[in-house]
PDB file of all heavy atoms in Angstrom:
ATOM      1  N   ALA A 197     -16.450   0.114  78.403  1.00 98.00           N
ATOM      2  CA  ALA A 197     -16.435   0.275  79.856  1.00 98.00           C
ATOM      3  C   ALA A 197     -17.465  -0.710  80.481  1.00 98.00           C
ATOM      4  O   ALA A 197     -18.551  -0.900  79.939  1.00 98.00           O
ATOM      5  CB  ALA A 197     -16.745   1.677  80.266  1.00 98.00           C
ATOM      6  N   LYS A 198     -17.062  -1.222  81.621  1.00 98.00           N
ATOM      7  CA  LYS A 198     -17.934  -2.214  82.351  1.00 98.00           C
ATOM      8  C   LYS A 198     -17.962  -1.821  83.800  1.00 98.00           C
ATOM      9  O   LYS A 198     -16.958  -1.542  84.424  1.00 98.00           O
ATOM     10  CB  LYS A 198     -17.370  -3.590  82.152  1.00 98.00           C
ATOM     11  CG  LYS A 198     -17.316  -4.049  80.701  1.00 98.00           C
ATOM     12  CD  LYS A 198     -16.555  -5.337  80.545  1.00 98.00           C
ATOM     13  CE  LYS A 198     -16.502  -5.740  79.074  1.00 98.00           C
ATOM     14  NZ  LYS A 198     -15.703  -4.779  78.249  1.00 98.00           N
ATOM     15  N   SER A 199     -19.204  -1.820  84.384  1.00 97.00           N
ATOM     16  CA  SER A 199     -19.374  -1.365  85.722  1.00 97.00           C
ATOM     17  C   SER A 199     -20.137  -2.377  86.553  1.00 97.00           C
ATOM     18  O   SER A 199     -21.006  -3.135  86.061  1.00 97.00           O
ATOM     19  CB  SER A 199     -20.198  -0.052  85.738  1.00 97.00           C
ATOM     20  OG  SER A 199     -20.491   0.376  87.044  1.00 97.00           O
ATOM     21  N   ALA A 200     -19.836  -2.346  87.865  1.00 96.00           N
ATOM     22  CA  ALA A 200     -20.580  -3.131  88.835  1.00 96.00           C
ATOM     23  C   ALA A 200     -21.993  -2.541  89.056  1.00 96.00           C
ATOM     24  O   ALA A 200     -22.216  -1.364  88.719  1.00 96.00           O
ATOM     25  CB  ALA A 200     -19.849  -3.171  90.151  1.00 96.00           C
ATOM     26  N   VAL A 201     -22.879  -3.285  89.633  1.00 95.00           N
ATOM     27  CA  VAL A 201     -24.298  -2.923  89.712  1.00 95.00           C
ATOM     28  C   VAL A 201     -24.493  -1.767  90.722  1.00 95.00           C
ATOM     29  O   VAL A 201     -25.479  -1.047  90.624  1.00 95.00           O
ATOM     30  CB  VAL A 201     -25.153  -4.123  90.082  1.00 95.00           C
ATOM     31  CG1 VAL A 201     -26.655  -3.769  90.111  1.00 95.00           C
ATOM     32  CG2 VAL A 201     -24.952  -5.221  89.015  1.00 95.00           C
ATOM     33  N   SER A 202     -23.629  -1.589  91.692  1.00 93.00           N
ATOM     34  CA  SER A 202     -23.771  -0.506  92.694  1.00 93.00           C
ATOM     35  C   SER A 202     -23.759   0.868  91.995  1.00 93.00           C
ATOM     36  O   SER A 202     -24.278   1.838  92.504  1.00 93.00           O
ATOM     37  CB  SER A 202     -22.720  -0.563  93.774  1.00 93.00           C
ATOM     38  OG  SER A 202     -21.403  -0.410  93.191  1.00 93.00           O
ATOM     39  N   GLY A 203     -23.193   0.941  90.764  1.00 92.00           N
ATOM     40  CA  GLY A 203     -23.191   2.167  90.022  1.00 92.00           C
ATOM     41  C   GLY A 203     -24.592   2.636  89.636  1.00 92.00           C
ATOM     42  O   GLY A 203     -24.814   3.794  89.341  1.00 92.00           O
ATOM     43  N   ALA A 204     -25.565   1.726  89.629  1.00 87.00           N
ATOM     44  CA  ALA A 204     -26.915   2.048  89.259  1.00 87.00           C
ATOM     45  C   ALA A 204     -27.702   2.616  90.478  1.00 87.00           C
ATOM     46  O   ALA A 204     -28.891   2.983  90.324  1.00 87.00           O
ATOM     47  CB  ALA A 204     -27.617   0.810  88.720  1.00 87.00           C
ATOM     48  N   GLY A 205     -27.067   2.651  91.641  1.00 87.00           N
ATOM     49  CA  GLY A 205     -27.721   3.191  92.814  1.00 87.00           C
ATOM     50  C   GLY A 205     -28.452   2.170  93.596  1.00 87.00           C
ATOM     51  O   GLY A 205     -28.551   0.974  93.255  1.00 87.00           O
ATOM     52  N   ARG A 206     -29.048   2.620  94.717  1.00 86.00           N
ATOM     53  CA  ARG A 206     -29.712   1.671  95.651  1.00 86.00           C
ATOM     54  C   ARG A 206     -31.151   1.387  95.313  1.00 86.00           C
ATOM     55  O   ARG A 206     -31.690   0.341  95.649  1.00 86.00           O
ATOM     56  CB  ARG A 206     -29.660   2.247  97.102  1.00 86.00           C
ATOM     57  CG  ARG A 206     -29.809   1.182  98.145  1.00 86.00           C
ATOM     58  CD  ARG A 206     -29.711   1.719  99.536  1.00 86.00           C
ATOM     59  NE  ARG A 206     -29.627   0.613 100.525  1.00 86.00           N
ATOM     60  CZ  ARG A 206     -29.888   0.753 101.784  1.00 86.00           C
ATOM     61  NH1 ARG A 206     -30.192   1.947 102.310  1.00 86.00           N
ATOM     62  NH2 ARG A 206     -29.783  -0.293 102.582  1.00 86.00           N
ATOM     63  N   SER A 207     -31.795   2.259  94.582  1.00 81.00           N
ATOM     64  CA  SER A 207     -33.204   2.069  94.219  1.00 81.00           C
ATOM     65  C   SER A 207     -33.306   0.916  93.249  1.00 81.00           C
ATOM     66  O   SER A 207     -32.542   0.800  92.287  1.00 81.00           O
ATOM     67  CB  SER A 207     -33.808   3.321  93.599  1.00 81.00           C
ATOM     68  OG  SER A 207     -33.767   4.379  94.555  1.00 81.00           O
ATOM     69  N   LEU A 208     -34.292   0.054  93.456  1.00 75.00           N
ATOM     70  CA  LEU A 208     -34.454  -1.101  92.608  1.00 75.00           C
ATOM     71  C   LEU A 208     -34.980  -0.699  91.205  1.00 75.00           C
ATOM     72  O   LEU A 208     -35.859   0.168  91.099  1.00 75.00           O
ATOM     73  CB  LEU A 208     -35.459  -2.114  93.234  1.00 75.00           C
ATOM     74  CG  LEU A 208     -35.591  -3.442  92.538  1.00 75.00           C
ATOM     75  CD1 LEU A 208     -34.287  -4.218  92.579  1.00 75.00           C
ATOM     76  CD2 LEU A 208     -36.706  -4.255  93.220  1.00 75.00           C
ATOM     77  N   SER A 209     -34.413  -1.312  90.191  1.00 82.00           N
ATOM     78  CA  SER A 209     -34.892  -1.072  88.825  1.00 82.00           C
ATOM     79  C   SER A 209     -34.775  -2.368  88.044  1.00 82.00           C
ATOM     80  O   SER A 209     -34.064  -3.305  88.465  1.00 82.00           O
ATOM     81  CB  SER A 209     -34.027   0.032  88.180  1.00 82.00           C
ATOM     82  OG  SER A 209     -32.713  -0.390  87.976  1.00 82.00           O
ATOM     83  N   ALA A 210     -35.411  -2.413  86.928  1.00 81.00           N
ATOM     84  CA  ALA A 210     -35.353  -3.639  86.104  1.00 81.00           C
ATOM     85  C   ALA A 210     -33.946  -4.013  85.691  1.00 81.00           C
ATOM     86  O   ALA A 210     -33.557  -5.166  85.633  1.00 81.00           O
ATOM     87  CB  ALA A 210     -36.223  -3.455  84.877  1.00 81.00           C
ATOM     88  N   ILE A 211     -33.100  -2.994  85.444  1.00 79.00           N
ATOM     89  CA  ILE A 211     -31.781  -3.270  84.941  1.00 79.00           C
ATOM     90  C   ILE A 211     -30.873  -3.859  86.011  1.00 79.00           C
ATOM     91  O   ILE A 211     -29.950  -4.594  85.761  1.00 79.00           O
ATOM     92  CB  ILE A 211     -31.133  -2.003  84.307  1.00 79.00           C
ATOM     93  CG1 ILE A 211     -29.958  -2.370  83.469  1.00 79.00           C
ATOM     94  CG2 ILE A 211     -30.736  -1.023  85.404  1.00 79.00           C
ATOM     95  CD1 ILE A 211     -29.317  -1.272  82.662  1.00 79.00           C
TER      96      ILE A 211
END
Side-chain angles (χ1 to χ4, degrees):
K198 300 169 180 67
S199 174
V201 183
S202 61
R206 201 178 190 199
S207 298
L208 188 62
S209 65
I211 196 170

